[in-house]
């Protein structure tokens, strides 16, 4: 069954659409200080473990916003595509929107065992599962392609725009007691090249073209944002 997890005021995430007349969150995206894709230093090779890495580090930054459910009262299995449905505005003429679907472990998770580190060269910290924010899926989208892959279009600063896209399929069960979280940011470096946040051919961007932009994500009755997923029925 297709269902949508809607962003709510105060950082909530729920299956029901928001009812507020006016509600949004904003952050400043600075290409000179992009959000990294890991909390630790990596080498030339992208570490495979990033695909289910802990995302708690991202929330220490002011340019990442998050929405989270209450603890689940039953297991929820999501299978198939994950489709962000965003209502946004920007002070720039182009911006990226990175959406991450995350499984949040309970703070009282029963094991305190360190997980193995795959690469001896990795400088990743020890991993403990209490409160772990496990990345399930993450995907960027460049706003200028929101209507067409072949005819990019600039954002109008301050004007609400729709950014819909589809992430890779997933087959994941969020267990009872866990929470579902969605994080939104506008950079994911160096997995994704930096967007100057100026509408242009990025390959030709000069340092002066890279500018800060205030990004706004709406969650109100006439401009609801969320993530559409396919939820499997639970078998007893």
């Amino acid at each position: 069954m297709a269902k949508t997890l809607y962003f709510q005021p105060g950082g909530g995430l729920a299956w029901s659409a928001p009812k507020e007349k006016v509600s949004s969150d904003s952050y400043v995206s600075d290409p000179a200080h992009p959000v990294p894709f890991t909390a630790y230093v990596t080498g030339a090779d992208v570490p495979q473990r990033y695909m289910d890495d802990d995302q708690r580090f991202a929330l220490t930054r002011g340019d990442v916003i998050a929405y989270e459910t209450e603890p689940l009262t039953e297991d929820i299995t999501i299978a198939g595509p994950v489709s962000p449905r965003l209502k946004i505005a920007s002070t720039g003429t182009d911006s990226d929107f990175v959406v991450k679907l995350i499984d949040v472990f309970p703070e009282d998770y029963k094991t305190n065992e360190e997980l193995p580190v795959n690469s001896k060269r990795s400088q990743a910290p020890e991993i403990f599962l209490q409160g772990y924010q496990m990345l399930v899926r993450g995907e960027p989208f460049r706003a200028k392609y929101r209507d067409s892959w072949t005819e990019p279009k600039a954002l109008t600063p301050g004007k609400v725009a729709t950014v819909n896209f589809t992430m890779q399929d997933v087959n994941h069960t969020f267990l009872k007691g866990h929470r579902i979280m969605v994080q939104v940011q506008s950079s994911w470096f160096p997995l994704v090249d930096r967007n100057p946040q100026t509408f242009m051919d990025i390959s030709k961007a000069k340092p002066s073209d890279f500018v800060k932009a205030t990004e706004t994500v709406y969650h109100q009755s006439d401009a609801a944002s969320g993530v559409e997923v396919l939820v499997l029925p639970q078998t007893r």
Side-chain angles (χ1 to χ4, degrees):
M1 177 185 297
K3 300 181 70 174
T4 299
L5 281 163
Y6 289 97
F7 303 168
Q8 306 289 333
L13 188 66
W15 298 111
S16 57
K19 299 179 180 179
E20 284 70 17
K21 297 293 185 181
V22 179
S23 187
S24 64
D25 291 305
S26 297
Y27 58 92
V28 176
S29 173
D30 183 356
H33 300 283
V35 181
F37 78 105
T38 66
Y40 47 88
V41 177
T42 62
D45 298 328
V46 174
Q48 292 300 299
R49 58 168 290 178
Y50 95 87
M51 291 185 287
D52 59 5
D53 245 340
D54 190 355
Q55 300 300 303
R56 279 178 286 192
F57 76 94
L59 295 186
T60 65
R61 299 178 57 101
D63 52 359
V64 179
I65 53 177
Y67 303 94
E68 185 179 34
T69 66
E70 294 297 320
L72 300 178
T73 57
E74 62 180 1
D75 293 354
I76 293 180
T77 298
I78 292 175
V82 177
S83 303
R85 302 286 183 253
L86 305 181
K87 294 291 186 179
I88 62 91
S90 177
T91 59
T93 52
D94 188 22
S95 288
D96 289 352
F97 290 91
V98 179
V99 176
K100 297 185 291 188
L101 179 66
I102 295 164
D103 186 339
V104 181
F105 286 56
E107 292 292 343
D108 61 352
Y109 198 79
K110 297 305 180 182
T111 181
N112 203 32
E113 180 181 355
E114 181 186 348
L115 297 182
V117 175
N118 293 331
S119 172
K120 294 181 179 179
R121 296 181 298 168
S122 173
Q123 298 183 37
E126 295 179 347
I127 300 174
F128 298 96
L129 294 180
Q130 287 85 352
Y132 192 85
Q133 294 178 6
M134 184 178 74
L135 180 64
V136 176
R137 279 293 181 269
E139 190 76 14
F141 190 86
R142 195 144 282 170
K144 65 182 178 183
Y145 297 115
R146 63 195 181 279
D147 294 332
S148 170
W149 289 113
T150 57
E151 298 180 10
K153 182 173 67 175
L155 293 168
T156 300
K159 182 179 179 180
V160 178
T162 299
V163 173
N164 294 338
F165 62 102
T166 300
M167 299 161 65
Q168 295 169 326
D169 286 12
V170 66
N171 189 344
H172 181 81
T173 298
F174 296 84
L175 298 177
K176 178 180 178 180
H178 289 222
R179 297 171 186 256
I180 303 174
M181 175 185 284
V182 175
Q183 290 182 5
V184 181
Q185 58 202 57
S186 287
S187 52
W188 209 16
F189 190 76
L191 281 181
V192 181
D193 62 327
R194 295 178 304 140
N195 191 326
Q197 301 176 155
T198 300
F199 180 71
M200 64 179 305
D201 181 346
I202 293 179
S203 67
K204 298 178 181 178
K206 302 183 297 294
S208 59
D209 294 319
F210 289 80
V211 297
K212 294 180 182 180
T214 298
E215 318 292 4
T216 300
V217 177
Y218 293 90
H219 36 71
Q220 58 195 46
S221 57
D222 63 347
S225 297
V227 176
E228 183 180 290
V229 294
L230 296 178
V231 179
L232 297 185
Q234 293 298 320
T235 56
R236 301 297 181 183

